[in-house]
Amino acid sequence: MIMSEAIHYDAIILGGGPAGLTAGIYLSRAKVKTLILNEGTIGGQMVLTHEIANYPGVESISGFQLSNIMKKQAKSFGCDIKANISVSDLDLSGPNKKVTLSDGTSYSSDAIILTPGGRSRTLGVTGEDMLKGRGISYCATCDGDFFTGKEIIAVGGGNSALEEAVSLTKYASRVTIVHQFDHFQAFEHAIGEAANNPKIDFMMESAITAFYGNESLESVDIKNLKTGVITNFKTDGAFIFIGYVPNTEFLKEKIDLNKWGEIIVSSDMSASIEGVYAAGDSIAKRYRQVTTAVSDGTIAALAASTYLNELKVKQKQLITV
Ligand SMILES: Cc1cc2nc3c(=O)[nH]c(=O)nc-3n(C[C@H](O)[C@H](O)[C@H](O)COP(=O)(O)OP(=O)(O)OC[C@H]3O[C@@H](n4cnc5c(N)ncnc54)[C@H](O)[C@@H]3O)c2cc1C
């Protein structure tokens, strides 16, 4: 591994989803020398979304397309973007923040914006790990097509679960939604759309307790949570939509997180260390959408920009004294 001298930026953004890309657009447009470092494909969770129909001003667009537009926009203002990187060390403590990548490259900055987003939560039951990608999926857009004409299960009761179950009916002949409560935690229109879809059945107050199969998923055990009775159901596929985990493991002990691992921020998106801001799905908040990520990213960028300007004034004063 080659250890190089840190390349300095005014601001570094860790995460290239909608929150990070928006922060990149705002900072670069304000002539702040900015670098976005992203683990994985630029766009974050957006690229998993086959259709975004609730982004104001755009009636319908694929998440992949929207990501590309945001990326192009950030680059057009001079923002540097590096994707598919892996952060091996992060020092947020002093005024000079330092990010080291697993290839030995390192970058420093005066301000940093954390936008690592989140990932799908797993059920953690028998057979799930073994059958992941062999009948068990967490992404309708990525895998729905593999289940054309098949009978499948969708687990969950939030907006994502209901919307994704509806999108799966484009492929599957039947989608049974398994949900642990007797009611959904979703918007009325999402519930209505699922309820009115003739290909969707509901199994309420029920939970999957095991997955079975050899080459691919063959059946699941479903427990009736009211009676305790477990029944085995044959199925070709199971899609799990039960929420997310913030990608903040690398921030433990470095910044204040709440008990769910979400980054604690003030209303200007500043985190617990001076010069560090956070935005998007990884912060402590209730609603997680592209629009909320974009809004958080805007606020974080404006606050970071103000911080950087004040820093410059302080540095100038020190020189003249
Ligand atoms: C299946 C699905 C459908 C959805 N549909 C919609 C919809 O229709 N409308 C809508 O508004 N929202 C939708 N959402 C939600 C929306 O995609 C998210 O709220 C939004 O993408 C969050 O943006 P973010 O930038 O905070 O994080 P993310 O989109 O999660 O992006 C974070 C990025 O940071 C990277 N990263 C992680 N750790 C690090 C690290 N240590 N260093 C550097 N980079 C890191 C990740 O790889 C990722 O690329 C959907 C989500 C899913 C999963």
Side-chain angles (χ1 to χ4, degrees), residues 14-19 37-39 41 43-46 49 51-52 54 87 115-118 164 247 250 280-281 288-290 293:
L14 283 183
L37 293 170
N38 185 62
E39 279 188 1
T41 314
Q45 294 170 74
M46 268 195 308
T49 311
E51 186 194 8
I52 296 177
N54 49 11
V87 174
T115 55
E164 297 305 304
N247 294 326
F250 75 111
D281 277 17
R288 293 181 165 86
Q289 284 287 284
V290 174

Side-chain angles (χ1 to χ4, degrees), residues 3-304:
M3 299 299 287
S4 54
E5 203 175 306
I7 302 163
H8 192 78
Y9 280 83
D10 297 328
I12 291 176
I13 297 165
L14 283 183
L21 287 168
T22 304
I25 290 168
Y26 271 79
L27 285 172
S28 303
R29 194 159 183 250
K31 308 289 178 213
V32 174
K33 192 183 173 207
T34 304
L35 170 68
I36 296 177
L37 293 170
N38 185 62
E39 279 188 1
T41 314
I42 285 292
Q45 294 170 74
M46 268 195 308
V47 292
L48 303 175
T49 311
H50 72 285
E51 186 194 8
I52 296 177
N54 49 11
Y55 192 75
V58 187
E59 281 178 8
S60 172
I61 190 165
S62 80
F64 185 72
Q65 269 181 297
L66 188 57
S67 302
N68 275 341
I69 296 168
M70 287 187 188
K71 178 177 151 188
K72 208 172 139 198
Q73 206 175 349
K75 280 188 153 187
S76 75
F77 294 123
C79 185
D80 286 342
I81 300 179
K82 287 190 189 307
N84 301 307
I85 56 87
S86 169
V87 174
S88 64
D89 195 32
L90 178 65
D91 183 0
L92 299 174
S93 54
N96 195 31
K97 320 295 178 196
K98 199 168 168 196
V99 185
T100 308
L101 305 187
S102 53
D103 66 1
T105 326
S106 61
Y107 299 93
S108 61
S109 63
D110 302 312
I112 198 156
I113 301 182
L114 306 165
T115 55
R119 61 182 187 276
S120 301
R121 193 182 291 279
T122 59
L123 287 173
V125 303
T126 309
E128 186 176 11
D129 270 354
M130 198 190 78
L131 292 162
K132 253 181 212 170
R134 291 196 279 153
I136 300 179
S137 171
Y138 304 82
C139 173
T141 315
C142 320
D143 301 327
D145 193 28
F146 299 135
F147 297 89
T148 300
K150 310 253 170 144
E151 298 204 356
I152 61 170
I153 280 169
V155 182
N159 284 310
S160 272
L162 295 178
E163 284 166 19
E164 297 305 304
V166 168
S167 82
L168 284 168
T169 61
K170 283 193 299 187
Y171 313 104
S173 57
R174 183 138 301 278
V175 178
T176 303
I177 297 178
V178 177
H179 181 45
Q180 57 182 333
F181 301 121
D182 64 356
H183 60 279
F184 291 107
Q185 302 100 337
F187 295 129
E188 281 307 316
H189 72 86
I191 299 171
E193 219 184 312
N196 291 325
N197 190 308
K199 284 187 175 178
I200 291 184
D201 292 326
F202 298 97
M203 208 178 268
M204 306 299 282
E205 294 180 88
S206 301
I208 292 185
T209 53
F211 294 96
Y212 301 102
N214 292 307
E215 293 300 303
S216 61
L217 180 68
E218 288 164 16
S219 69
V220 293
D221 275 350
I222 299 182
K223 184 177 184 178
N224 181 317
L225 298 173
K226 257 168 67 180
T227 63
V229 174
I230 295 176
T231 312
N232 186 262
F233 285 88
K234 298 264 169 276
T235 188
D236 299 309
F239 282 77
I240 322 292
F241 306 119
I242 54 164
Y244 85 102
V245 183
N247 294 326
T248 53
E249 291 83 356
F250 75 111
L251 296 171
K252 269 184 195 153
E253 323 264 302
K254 292 190 189 291
I255 199 116
D256 287 355
L257 306 174
N258 67 15
K259 63 178 174 177
W260 296 286
E262 298 162 337
I263 306 166
I264 298 169
V265 289
S266 304
S267 56
D268 68 349
M269 302 296 149
S270 56
S272 55
I273 296 176
E274 198 177 50
V276 181
Y277 301 82
D281 277 17
S282 58
I283 68 167
K285 64 175 183 179
R286 184 162 174 192
Y287 298 111
R288 293 181 165 86
Q289 284 287 284
V290 174
T291 48
T292 57
V294 158
S295 164
D296 298 341
T298 306
I299 297 167
L302 293 174

